[in-house]
Amino acid sequence: MTFSLNDPDLFRQTAFLGGDWKTSTSGKSLTVDNPSTGEVIGTIPACTAEETGAAIESAQVAQAKWRRSSSAERAALLMAWYQLMLDHTEDLAQIMTMEQGKPLVEAKGEVTYAASFLKWFAAEAEHVQGEALVPTPDRRVIILKEPVGVTAAITPWNFPLAMITRKCAPALAAGCSMVLKPSELTPYSALALAVLAERAGLPKGLLSVVTGYAQDIGPTLTASPIIRKLSFTGSTKVGSLLMRQSADTVKKLSLELGGNAPLIVFDDADLSVAVSGTMMSKFRNAGQTCVCANRVYVQSGIHDAFLDRLAAKVARLNIGDGFDPQVQIGPLINDAAVAKVKEHVEDALAKGGRVIGKPLEIRGRFVSPVLLADVTAEMKIAQEETFGPILPVFRFEYENDAVEQANATPFGLASYFFTNDISRAWRVGEALDFGMVGLNTGSVSMVSAPFGGVKQSGLGREGGSLGLEEFLEVKSFHIGLPAA
Ligand code: NAP
């Protein structure tokens, strides 16, 4: 291990099962590596189906008590946890950069963003409201909002903290418990978060972090009748598999799945706003975000000037180890991710695409940013999420064509467009078939706004006040009032 933490106790190589830190009875473990160097950081237990089942049972016991806690008590736990996250920002960021690779400054930004969900839902916990109806003189109906119960979460590697707090903060605020399976690629951030939860006063069993192989843990979570809801962030392929697996027990589902975000630049856009918005959207986390601009459509009148400005910015990006403060582009997560990027670039070049600036360079898991022009809908890069630092630019003439091409995907997570024409802003904003639309900005994620997609990008919303609703059930309580 080459990192040094102020608080080494945050780095745990054991799972957090029912409130205890444990190795697995399987005796098996997985290694976790640093994507920058390929060096092994440590191991994690390969938890079994039985251990997952025991964590679910602990969550059931804990939830029966937690659902009767006051909203102020839930808020206090979340606020204590929030403060501990902020107090340990440096260590949490180091753990994240070590296992995920993103530049340390981005990792610190993610710690703050992840913590913001704890604070937001602490406040939301105190605002769960029902309704009272008086439908007839002899009837009153009280509409109660109750916790869903025991829940499960499965989270990805690209945002190892934020994708967890975005789920467990509303779950705990609503009075639910949670069994979490983080990605095997980035388990240490999740385990550090659990250490802080425990220090904040987390009741035993209310949150478990089950580490190991998805195929051992996932089916136990989906088959369990105790688990009433599954919240998943990851690929559409795995999301639809989990949906099928959850059918037998008719679970509530929140699915935050893949995207293929379009970004449209119109002739009337402010060029520098469009260029910086594109850079922000595309290159964060080396292009490994679900809301990354994956297809950039530029109107012909601004096309060449936009490419020139973009090429100058792309040329200034530094690639390297996320611990180097000069670096903006860290490594990709694994060799499969590198292979996919290479395949997309080669396919685009074979079909008539043109590199502007430096060609693709690959060194280990470091992939250089590439700006591609003359991209067309037939190329793989137009159809699939690339999840890497490749920026493909399509040229278009007419607004209708751009919107039609932008919508021509089975995905519907994020979209962006740049214009200074107010009528066009409304027209295009309403025509884009996506859960999130950014106008003159390259960012659509913040704690107060609902985050989520339509079509094959998923079901449900996280963040905002809707994020809490996902963990609440509605009960209609009918009260008869016999005539006096
Ligand atoms: P992934 O392969 O679907 O993995 C996501 C999670 O699912 C990981 O914890 C993974 O475990 C687990 N998993 C994999 N196979 C499973 C199975 N058969 N049963 C149960 N769990 C299983 O996705 P990823 O490659 O980590 O993440 C990238 C994808 O996530 C992209 O498509 C991206 O767009 C999407 N994403 C969406 C959002 C959003 O909010 N909409 C946010 C971030 C990412 P292991 O890693 O341990 O195998």
Coordinates of all heavy atoms in Angstrom, one line a residue, residues 275-335:
V275 N -17.9 25.4 -25.2 CA -16.7 24.6 -25.1 C -16.4 24.2 -23.6 O -16.1 23.0 -23.4 CB -15.5 25.4 -25.6 CG1 -14.2 24.8 -25.3 CG2 -15.6 25.6 -27.2
S276 N -16.6 25.1 -22.7 CA -16.3 24.7 -21.3 C -17.3 23.7 -20.8 O -17.0 22.8 -20.1 CB -16.1 25.8 -20.4 OG -17.2 26.7 -20.4
G277 N -18.6 23.8 -21.2 CA -19.6 22.9 -20.8 C -19.3 21.5 -21.4 O -19.5 20.5 -20.7
T278 N -18.8 21.4 -22.6 CA -18.5 20.1 -23.2 C -17.3 19.5 -22.5 O -17.4 18.3 -22.2 CB -18.2 20.3 -24.7 OG1 -19.3 21.0 -25.3 CG2 -18.0 19.0 -25.4
M279 N -16.3 20.3 -22.2 CA -15.2 19.7 -21.5 C -15.6 19.2 -20.1 O -15.2 18.1 -19.7 CB -14.1 20.8 -21.3 CG -13.5 21.3 -22.5 SD -12.5 20.1 -23.4 CE -11.1 19.8 -22.3
M280 N -16.5 19.9 -19.4 CA -16.9 19.5 -18.1 C -17.7 18.2 -18.2 O -17.5 17.2 -17.4 CB -17.8 20.6 -17.5 CG -18.3 20.2 -16.1 SD -19.7 21.2 -15.7 CE -18.9 22.6 -15.0
S281 N -18.6 18.1 -19.2 CA -19.4 17.0 -19.3 C -18.6 15.7 -19.7 O -18.9 14.6 -19.3 CB -20.6 17.3 -20.3 OG -21.2 16.1 -20.6
K282 N -17.7 16.0 -20.6 CA -17.0 14.8 -21.2 C -15.9 14.2 -20.4 O -15.8 13.0 -20.3 CB -16.4 15.2 -22.6 CG -15.7 14.1 -23.3 CD -16.5 13.0 -23.9 CE -16.4 11.7 -23.3 NZ -17.2 10.7 -24.0
F283 N -15.1 15.0 -19.8 CA -13.8 14.5 -19.3 C -13.7 14.2 -17.8 O -12.7 13.7 -17.3 CB -12.6 15.4 -19.7 CG -12.4 15.3 -21.2 CD1 -12.7 16.4 -22.0 CD2 -11.9 14.2 -21.8 CE1 -12.5 16.4 -23.4 CE2 -11.8 14.1 -23.2 CZ -12.1 15.2 -24.0
R284 N -14.8 14.5 -17.1 CA -14.8 14.2 -15.6 C -14.6 12.7 -15.5 O -15.2 11.9 -16.3 CB -16.1 14.6 -15.0 CG -16.1 14.8 -13.5 CD -17.3 15.7 -13.1 NE -18.5 15.2 -13.6 CZ -19.5 14.6 -12.9 NH1 -19.2 14.4 -11.6 NH2 -20.6 14.3 -13.4
N285 N -13.9 12.3 -14.5 CA -13.7 10.8 -14.3 C -13.2 10.1 -15.5 O -13.6 9.0 -15.8 CB -15.0 10.2 -13.7 CG -14.7 9.0 -12.9 OD1 -13.6 8.6 -12.6 ND2 -15.8 8.3 -12.6
A286 N -12.4 10.8 -16.3 CA -11.8 10.2 -17.6 C -12.9 9.7 -18.5 O -12.8 8.8 -19.3 CB -10.9 9.1 -17.3
G287 N -14.1 10.4 -18.5 CA -15.2 10.0 -19.3 C -16.0 8.8 -18.8 O -16.8 8.3 -19.6
Q288 N -15.8 8.4 -17.6 CA -16.5 7.2 -17.1 C -17.6 7.6 -16.2 O -17.7 7.3 -15.0 CB -15.5 6.4 -16.3 CG -14.3 5.9 -17.1 CD -13.3 5.2 -16.2 OE1 -13.1 4.0 -16.2 NE2 -12.6 6.0 -15.4
T289 N -18.5 8.4 -16.7 CA -19.7 8.7 -15.9 C -21.0 8.5 -16.8 O -20.9 8.6 -18.1 CB -19.8 10.2 -15.5 OG1 -20.4 11.0 -16.5 CG2 -18.4 10.8 -15.1
C290 N -22.1 8.1 -16.2 CA -23.3 7.8 -16.9 C -23.9 9.0 -17.6 O -24.7 8.8 -18.6 CB -24.3 7.1 -16.0 SG -24.6 8.2 -14.6
V291 N -23.5 10.2 -17.2 CA -24.1 11.4 -17.8 C -23.1 12.1 -18.7 O -23.3 13.2 -19.1 CB -24.6 12.4 -16.7 CG1 -25.8 11.8 -16.0 CG2 -23.5 12.7 -15.7
C292 N -22.0 11.5 -19.0 CA -21.0 12.0 -19.9 C -21.5 12.3 -21.3 O -22.2 11.4 -21.8 CB -19.9 11.0 -20.2 SG -18.5 11.1 -19.1
A293 N -21.2 13.4 -21.9 CA -21.6 13.6 -23.3 C -20.9 12.5 -24.1 O -19.7 12.4 -24.1 CB -21.1 15.0 -23.7
N294 N -21.7 11.7 -24.8 CA -21.2 10.6 -25.5 C -21.2 10.9 -27.0 O -20.5 10.3 -27.8 CB -21.9 9.3 -25.2 CG -21.2 8.1 -25.5 OD1 -20.0 7.9 -25.1 ND2 -21.8 7.2 -26.3
R295 N -22.1 11.8 -27.4 CA -22.3 12.2 -28.8 C -22.4 13.7 -28.9 O -23.4 14.3 -28.3 CB -23.5 11.6 -29.4 CG -23.6 10.0 -29.3 CD -24.9 9.5 -29.7 NE -25.9 9.7 -28.6 CZ -27.2 9.9 -28.8 NH1 -27.7 10.0 -30.1 NH2 -28.0 10.1 -27.8
V296 N -21.5 14.4 -29.6 CA -21.6 15.9 -29.6 C -22.0 16.3 -31.0 O -21.3 16.0 -32.0 CB -20.2 16.5 -29.2 CG1 -20.2 18.0 -29.3 CG2 -19.9 16.0 -27.8
Y297 N -23.2 16.9 -31.2 CA -23.7 17.4 -32.5 C -23.5 18.9 -32.6 O -23.9 19.7 -31.7 CB -25.2 17.1 -32.5 CG -25.5 15.6 -32.5 CD1 -25.8 15.0 -31.2 CD2 -25.4 14.8 -33.6 CE1 -26.1 13.6 -31.2 CE2 -25.7 13.4 -33.5 CZ -26.0 12.9 -32.3 OH -26.3 11.5 -32.2
V298 N -22.8 19.3 -33.6 CA -22.4 20.7 -33.7 C -23.0 21.3 -35.1 O -22.7 20.7 -36.1 CB -20.9 20.9 -33.6 CG1 -20.6 22.4 -33.6 CG2 -20.4 20.3 -32.4
Q299 N -23.7 22.4 -35.0 CA -24.3 23.0 -36.2 C -23.1 23.5 -37.1 O -22.1 24.0 -36.7 CB -25.3 24.1 -35.9 CG -26.3 24.3 -36.9 CD -27.5 25.1 -36.4 OE1 -27.5 25.6 -35.3 NE2 -28.6 25.0 -37.2
S300 N -23.4 23.5 -38.4 CA -22.3 23.7 -39.4 C -21.7 25.1 -39.2 O -20.5 25.3 -39.4 CB -22.7 23.4 -40.8 OG -23.8 24.2 -41.1
G301 N -22.5 26.1 -38.9 CA -22.0 27.5 -38.8 C -20.9 27.7 -37.7 O -20.1 28.6 -37.8
I302 N -21.0 26.9 -36.7 CA -20.1 27.1 -35.6 C -19.1 25.9 -35.5 O -18.2 25.9 -34.6 CB -20.9 27.2 -34.2 CG1 -20.2 27.9 -33.1 CG2 -21.4 25.9 -33.8 CD1 -21.0 28.2 -31.9
H303 N -19.3 24.9 -36.3 CA -18.6 23.7 -36.2 C -17.0 23.8 -36.2 O -16.4 23.4 -35.3 CB -19.0 22.8 -37.4 CG -18.3 21.4 -37.5 ND1 -17.1 21.2 -38.1 CD2 -18.6 20.2 -36.9 CE1 -16.8 20.0 -38.0 NE2 -17.7 19.3 -37.3
D304 N -16.5 24.6 -37.1 CA -15.0 24.6 -37.2 C -14.4 25.4 -36.1 O -13.4 25.0 -35.5 CB -14.6 25.2 -38.6 CG -14.9 24.3 -39.7 OD1 -15.4 23.1 -39.4 OD2 -14.8 24.7 -40.9
A305 N -15.1 26.5 -35.7 CA -14.6 27.3 -34.6 C -14.6 26.5 -33.3 O -13.7 26.6 -32.5 CB -15.4 28.6 -34.5
F306 N -15.7 25.8 -33.1 CA -15.9 25.0 -31.9 C -14.8 23.9 -31.8 O -14.2 23.7 -30.8 CB -17.3 24.3 -32.0 CG -17.6 23.4 -30.8 CD1 -18.0 24.0 -29.6 CD2 -17.6 22.0 -30.9 CE1 -18.4 23.2 -28.5 CE2 -17.9 21.2 -29.8 CZ -18.3 21.8 -28.6
L307 N -14.5 23.2 -33.0 CA -13.5 22.2 -33.0 C -12.1 22.8 -32.6 O -11.4 22.2 -31.9 CB -13.4 21.5 -34.3 CG -14.4 20.3 -34.6 CD1 -14.1 19.7 -35.9 CD2 -14.4 19.3 -33.5
D308 N -11.8 24.0 -33.2 CA -10.5 24.6 -32.9 C -10.4 24.9 -31.4 O -9.3 24.5 -30.8 CB -10.4 25.9 -33.7 CG -10.2 25.7 -35.2 OD1 -9.9 24.6 -35.5 OD2 -10.2 26.7 -35.9
R309 N -11.4 25.5 -30.8 CA -11.3 25.8 -29.4 C -11.2 24.5 -28.5 O -10.5 24.5 -27.6 CB -12.5 26.6 -29.0 CG -12.6 28.0 -29.6 CD -11.8 29.0 -28.8 NE -12.5 29.4 -27.6 CZ -13.4 30.4 -27.5 NH1 -13.6 31.1 -28.6 NH2 -14.0 30.8 -26.4
L310 N -12.0 23.5 -28.9 CA -12.0 22.3 -28.2 C -10.6 21.6 -28.3 O -10.1 21.1 -27.3 CB -13.1 21.4 -28.8 CG -13.9 20.5 -27.8 CD1 -14.4 21.2 -26.6 CD2 -15.0 19.8 -28.6
A311 N -10.1 21.6 -29.5 CA -8.8 20.9 -29.7 C -7.7 21.5 -28.8 O -6.9 20.8 -28.2 CB -8.4 21.0 -31.2
A312 N -7.7 22.8 -28.7 CA -6.7 23.5 -27.9 C -6.9 23.1 -26.4 O -5.9 22.8 -25.7 CB -6.9 25.0 -28.0
K313 N -8.1 23.0 -25.9 CA -8.4 22.6 -24.5 C -8.0 21.1 -24.3 O -7.4 20.7 -23.3 CB -9.8 22.7 -24.2 CG -10.3 24.2 -24.1 CD -10.9 24.5 -22.8 CE -11.4 25.9 -22.8 NZ -11.3 26.5 -21.5
V314 N -8.4 20.2 -25.3 CA -8.1 18.8 -25.1 C -6.5 18.6 -25.1 O -6.0 17.8 -24.3 CB -8.7 18.0 -26.3 CG1 -8.2 16.5 -26.3 CG2 -10.2 18.0 -26.2
A315 N -5.8 19.4 -25.9 CA -4.3 19.2 -25.9 C -3.7 19.5 -24.6 O -2.6 19.1 -24.3 CB -3.8 20.1 -27.0
R316 N -4.4 20.3 -23.8 CA -3.8 20.7 -22.5 C -4.1 19.8 -21.3 O -3.6 20.0 -20.2 CB -4.2 22.1 -22.1 CG -3.6 23.2 -22.9 CD -3.6 24.6 -22.2 NE -5.0 25.1 -22.2 CZ -5.5 25.8 -23.2 NH1 -4.8 26.1 -24.3 NH2 -6.8 26.3 -23.1
L317 N -4.9 18.7 -21.6 CA -5.2 17.8 -20.5 C -4.0 16.9 -20.2 O -3.4 16.3 -21.1 CB -6.4 16.9 -20.9 CG -7.8 17.6 -21.1 CD1 -8.8 16.7 -21.7 CD2 -8.2 18.2 -19.8
N318 N -3.7 16.7 -18.9 CA -2.6 15.8 -18.5 C -3.2 14.5 -18.1 O -4.1 14.5 -17.3 CB -1.8 16.5 -17.3 CG -1.1 17.7 -17.8 OD1 -0.5 17.7 -18.8 ND2 -1.2 18.7 -17.0
I319 N -2.5 13.4 -18.5 CA -3.0 12.1 -18.2 C -2.0 11.5 -17.2 O -0.7 11.7 -17.3 CB -2.9 11.2 -19.4 CG1 -3.5 11.9 -20.6 CG2 -3.6 9.8 -19.1 CD1 -2.9 11.5 -21.9
G320 N -2.4 10.8 -16.2 CA -1.5 10.1 -15.3 C -2.1 9.7 -14.0 O -3.4 9.6 -13.9
D321 N -1.3 9.3 -13.0 CA -1.8 8.9 -11.7 C -2.6 10.0 -11.0 O -2.1 11.1 -10.9 CB -0.5 8.5 -10.9 CG -0.9 7.7 -9.6 OD1 -1.8 8.1 -8.9 OD2 -0.2 6.7 -9.4
G322 N -3.7 9.6 -10.5 CA -4.6 10.6 -9.8 C -4.0 11.3 -8.6 O -4.5 12.3 -8.2
F323 N -2.9 10.7 -8.1 CA -2.3 11.4 -6.9 C -1.4 12.5 -7.4 O -0.9 13.3 -6.6 CB -1.5 10.4 -6.1 CG -2.4 9.5 -5.3 CD1 -2.6 8.2 -5.6 CD2 -3.0 10.0 -4.1 CE1 -3.4 7.4 -4.8 CE2 -3.8 9.2 -3.3 CZ -4.0 7.9 -3.7
D324 N -1.1 12.6 -8.7 CA -0.3 13.7 -9.2 C -1.2 14.9 -9.4 O -2.1 14.9 -10.2 CB 0.3 13.3 -10.6 CG 1.1 14.4 -11.2 OD1 1.0 15.5 -10.8 OD2 1.9 14.0 -12.2
P325 N -0.9 16.0 -8.7 CA -1.8 17.2 -8.7 C -1.9 17.8 -10.1 O -2.8 18.6 -10.4 CB -1.2 18.2 -7.7 CG 0.2 17.7 -7.4 CD 0.2 16.2 -7.8
Q326 N -1.0 17.5 -11.0 CA -1.1 18.1 -12.4 C -2.0 17.4 -13.3 O -2.3 17.8 -14.4 CB 0.3 18.1 -13.1 CG 1.4 18.7 -12.3 CD 1.1 20.2 -12.0 OE1 0.6 20.9 -12.8 NE2 1.4 20.6 -10.8
V327 N -2.5 16.2 -12.8 CA -3.3 15.3 -13.7 C -4.8 15.6 -13.7 O -5.4 15.9 -12.7 CB -3.0 13.9 -13.3 CG1 -4.1 12.9 -13.7 CG2 -1.7 13.4 -13.8
Q328 N -5.4 15.7 -14.9 CA -6.8 15.8 -15.0 C -7.5 14.5 -15.5 O -8.7 14.3 -15.3 CB -7.2 16.9 -16.0 CG -6.9 18.3 -15.6 CD -5.5 18.7 -16.0 OE1 -5.1 18.3 -17.1 NE2 -4.8 19.5 -15.2
I329 N -6.7 13.6 -16.2 CA -7.3 12.4 -16.7 C -6.6 11.2 -16.0 O -5.4 11.0 -16.3 CB -7.1 12.3 -18.2 CG1 -7.7 13.5 -18.9 CG2 -7.7 11.0 -18.7 CD1 -9.2 13.5 -19.1
G330 N -7.3 10.5 -15.2 CA -6.6 9.3 -14.5 C -6.8 8.1 -15.4 O -7.2 8.2 -16.6
P331 N -6.5 6.9 -14.9 CA -6.6 5.7 -15.7 C -8.0 5.2 -15.9 O -8.9 5.7 -15.1 CB -5.9 4.7 -14.8 CG -6.1 5.2 -13.4 CD -6.1 6.7 -13.5
L332 N -8.3 4.3 -16.8 CA -9.6 3.7 -16.9 C -9.6 2.5 -15.9 O -8.5 2.1 -15.4 CB -9.9 3.2 -18.3 CG -10.0 4.2 -19.4 CD1 -10.5 3.6 -20.7 CD2 -10.8 5.4 -19.0
I333 N -10.8 2.1 -15.5 CA -10.9 1.2 -14.4 C -10.2 -0.2 -14.6 O -9.7 -0.7 -13.7 CB -12.4 1.0 -14.0 CG1 -12.5 0.3 -12.6 CG2 -13.2 0.3 -15.0 CD1 -12.1 1.1 -11.4
N334 N -10.3 -0.7 -15.8 CA -9.7 -2.0 -16.0 C -9.4 -2.3 -17.5 O -9.7 -1.4 -18.3 CB -10.6 -3.2 -15.4 CG -12.0 -3.2 -16.0 OD1 -12.2 -2.6 -17.1 ND2 -12.9 -3.8 -15.3
D335 N -8.8 -3.4 -17.8 CA -8.4 -3.6 -19.2 C -9.5 -3.7 -20.1 O -9.4 -3.3 -21.3 CB -7.5 -4.9 -19.2 CG -6.3 -4.8 -18.4 OD1 -5.9 -3.7 -18.1 OD2 -5.7 -5.9 -18.0

